[in-house]
Structure formats: C-alpha cells, structure tokens
Amino acid sequence: MTTAQHKIGSSFGARSTADDVLDGVDLSGKLAVVTGGYSGLGLETTRALAKAGARVVVPARRPDAAHEALAGIAGVEVDELDLGDLESMKGFAERFLAAGRRIDILINNAGIMACPETRVGPGWEAQFATNHLGHFALTNRLWPALVDGGARVVSVSSTGHHNSAIRWDDPQFERGYDKWEAYGQAKTANILFAVQLDALGRDLGVRAFALHPGGILTPLQRHLTTEEMVGYGWIDADGNPLNPSFKTPEQGAATQVWAATSAQLDGMGGLYCEDCEIAEPSPEGVREGVRDYAIDPAQAARLWTLSAELTGVDAFAPAR
Ligand SMILES: NC(=O)c1ccc[n+]([C@@H]2O[C@H](COP(=O)([O-])OP(=O)(O)OC[C@H]3O[C@@H](n4cnc5c(N)ncnc54)[C@H](OP(=O)(O)O)[C@@H]3O)[C@@H](O)[C@H]2O)c1
C-alpha cells in the first residue's frame, strides 16, 4: 500500500451518480477504455465519460450488441475483445497500439458472477479467468499506451471479495467448485491487481484503484434464479427490487468514474473505494470495507507472478 486505506472526506456518497461526479469536469482530449462498457454499470460509465467529453473505446465480446446499446452516444467506439481468450486480447491491444493511441483511463469493468462451473482457455475457472486474468493480460498488453502519461487504471471489484481470499492451493477450483467462493476469489484478485499495479506503476506515471460499485440489478445476475434472488431478499417473486440499499445503474457507475477522475485522489493509488470514497479496512466479521487479505502487498506480488506465469504476459518482466 502506498497510501493509507482510510476515508478522505469525499464530497460524494452512495447516492451520487456518475453525472454528479463529473459535473464541471471536462474530459475533452482524454481517452478512456471501458471493458464491458455496453451493459449495466459499464454502459452508464461510458455514457457519463463521453458526456464529459472523453473519447471512449469499448472492447466488446458482442460488438453487435455493443453498437446497439451505444447507438446515439457521441464519441464512442466499439472494438472486439473476449476476456476469456488470450489471442483476442493480443489482437485488440495490437490494433490499439498500432494506431499510436494513448490511454488516460482504463476501467476494467467487465465481469461475470456466480456462473455454473465453466472452464475457459487452458481449463481456467471462468470467473478467475474473465474477471481477473483477462484484465491482467489486457492491462499488461496495453501498458505502452498507459505508461508515462498520468493514466489511471480502475478495477471494478465487489464486496463479494469478502467471500474468499486467493485459494493459493487451488486457484482454478480443481476441487469443490463453489460459485460464490469463485466470484469472491476473482474479486479479491481485482483488488490485489490494483495494489501491485500501483506499486509497479506509480513511479512510471500510472496509478491504480479498485472498488465496490454497490448492489445494482443488472444482467450480471443472469446466472441466478428468481428463487435464489428472492431468498437473498433482493427481489420479490415478481422481480421487483426489495433491498433499499440497491443503487440505480447511474449511482452504481459513480464510484468507478470517481476513482478514474477525481482530483481528490491525485497522488494516491493502490486503494479500494466504495460509495465514492476510500473504504476503511473491514473489521473482522463485518461485510463492508476491504479485507486485509485483499490489500496485502505480499499476496498482491504473488498473484502478479502467478498471473504472469498463467497468461505469459508481463509488461514488467526483465528483458531477456
Ligand atoms: N451489479 C452489481 O450489483 C455489482 C456489484 C458488485 C460488483 N459488480 C461488478 O461490476 C462490474 C459490471 O457489472 P454489471 O453489473 O454492469 O454487469 P453486466 O451488466 O452483466 O455487464 C458485464 C459486462 O461484462 C462483459 N463480459 C462478460 N464476460 C466477458 C468476456 N469474456 N469478455 C469481454 N466482456 C465480457 C459483458 O458482456 P456480454 O454482455 O457480451 O456478456 C457485459 O458487457 C462487474 O465486474 C461486476 O463484478 C457489480
């Protein structure tokens, strides 16, 4: 950790929207990349950044769906990217870098949650692979466009990180798959990634943050049954939201937009945020704030090494 994980007196909060955060902020001339920027929180993030003047590139697993969702929003481009496919990541990064473009904001937002056991690539557990390894490889591939330019890299994690630390003895769930534990591990990985990227990148002009956006009903819940969501107290049997703490997508996008742009965070990094504020360390047994294991620098470095070994990509590897 390069900065204390404590509140800084943000002027925004749980009910702030992405537009509130960007009120009066001019992002003209800035380039943002938002993975999954055509659904749920990503769509709202793209819309708000573009409205503030940024050019937004949306790498999409389903480009047709992305074009449809983003129709009418000026300043947005769609390209193709599947976070579960290392070749797809390489292709996207090569196209991007070949155009000589620079990135001011990279929001690693795309994700899947609580899917049935699924294997991608060389047999990787799909949530760890999509939510973490894909973004790890993408960010490292895009490093030449990030370095030395004051860029911020934002990892959209979750309070779901409370479900699991990194399972060092079995990160791919070769034993005993549990969909919530797997989501938890992947979301812990998102935070550890921000911690290590910030440690590696801060002297090279790149800062990194992670965050929990809040609870928001979006297509993310596609793998859950209505019965499950009723059981969690999220919705009634007709699908109406029940949980008063749920945010709208506009509110849900606010913390990632705040982490990506707030002047209050200048000079900081390696931090986990929630409700447009730096989160406090979580007291034992309390499901808010950030768990120690998710911001532990030693585990962050260890995860980086593991991820580089698995993906074969590491922008910081010594040249041979
Ligand atoms: N909603 C919540 O309550 C909540 C709470 C905590 C954290 N989060 C986090 O917030 C982020 C955004 O979630 P959301 O609620 O906006 O979900 P969403 O509406 O389902 O959006 C997720 C996006 O990720 C994309 N994606 C999934 N797999 C991909 C892959 N292999 N390659 C490329 N893109 C892929 C999806 O593309 P397709 O549509 O083509 O599949 C979609 O655009 C996630 O990281 C999630 O874990 C959400």
Side-chain angles (χ1 to χ4, degrees):
M1 296 294 300
T2 57
T3 319
Q5 180 72 54
H6 294 295
K7 294 187 178 182
I8 53 170
S10 168
S11 45
F12 301 102
R15 295 293 159 198
S16 301
T17 65
D19 282 344
D20 292 338
V21 167
L22 291 175
D23 188 27
V25 175
D26 182 6
L27 297 179
S28 306
K30 303 281 187 197
L31 190 138
V33 176
V34 182
T35 66
Y38 57 104
S39 177
L41 313 183
L43 175 58
E44 282 308 318
T45 299
T46 300
R47 193 195 50 71
L49 293 174
K51 187 177 164 199
R55 181 119 199 119
V56 186
V57 176
V58 175
R61 175 162 66 160
R62 296 180 300 131
D64 290 349
H67 280 294
E68 197 177 323
L70 296 165
I73 305 178
V76 177
E77 295 166 38
V78 172
D79 199 344
E80 195 165 347
L81 175 82
D82 182 346
L83 287 163
D85 177 351
L86 289 173
E87 283 306 306
S88 165
M89 238 102 59
K90 186 164 180 262
F92 171 79
E94 283 176 353
R95 288 190 297 281
F96 191 92
L97 296 174
R101 304 179 96 179
R102 305 272 319 158
I103 298 172
D104 300 289
I105 296 168
L106 170 58
I107 303 190
N108 289 327
N109 160 86
I112 53 174
M113 180 179 80
C115 56
E117 183 170 0
T118 309
R119 300 281 152 186
V120 300
W124 296 335
E125 188 282 314
Q127 299 192 70
F128 188 59
T130 307
N131 299 354
H132 168 62
L133 291 175
H135 284 124
F136 175 89
L138 177 68
T139 306
N140 277 278
R141 290 255 179 227
L142 290 174
W143 184 249
L146 291 161
V147 67
D148 289 334
R152 284 194 194 166
V153 178
V154 176
S155 296
V156 182
S157 176
S158 170
T159 196
H161 82 270
H162 286 252
N163 296 351
S164 179
I166 302 298
R167 290 160 45 106
W168 294 110
D169 62 334
D170 185 23
Q172 303 295 357
F173 283 85
E174 278 152 30
R175 302 185 303 275
Y177 181 74
D178 177 278
K179 66 185 181 185
W180 285 117
E181 201 179 337
Y183 184 65
Q185 171 178 254
K187 292 289 140 180
T188 290
N190 289 153
I191 306 171
L192 290 170
F193 171 70
V195 170
Q196 185 64 5
L197 180 64
D198 196 76
L200 294 168
R202 64 177 177 260
D203 291 337
L204 301 168
V206 177
R207 303 310 303 256
F209 297 89
L211 64 109
H212 169 56
I216 307 98
L217 291 174
T218 68
L220 188 71
Q221 291 90 27
R222 64 171 71 96
H223 296 294
L224 303 177
T225 63
T226 300
E227 292 70 32
E228 282 178 293
M229 290 197 278
V230 170
Y232 301 147
W234 294 355
I235 56 170
D236 66 21
D238 297 321
N240 304 306
L242 282 180
N243 188 329
S245 71
F246 273 171
K247 298 183 180 184
T248 64
E250 293 83 353
Q251 293 166 341
T255 303
Q256 56 209 60
V257 167
W258 183 75
T261 63
S262 174
Q264 270 192 292
L265 295 171
D266 285 350
M268 301 181 187
L271 297 165
Y272 174 84
C273 308
E274 52 190 15
D275 294 337
C276 301
E277 176 58 283
I278 296 175
E280 292 288 335
S282 175
E284 189 63 41
V286 177
R287 203 178 162 83
E288 61 182 42
V290 64
R291 296 290 295 269
D292 288 352
Y293 57 66
I295 52 172
D296 173 23
Q299 294 199 53
R302 186 176 176 189
L303 179 66
W304 190 281
T305 301
L306 173 67
S307 307
E309 281 168 8
L310 290 170
T311 61
V313 185
D314 185 355
F316 299 88
R320 294 184 194 189

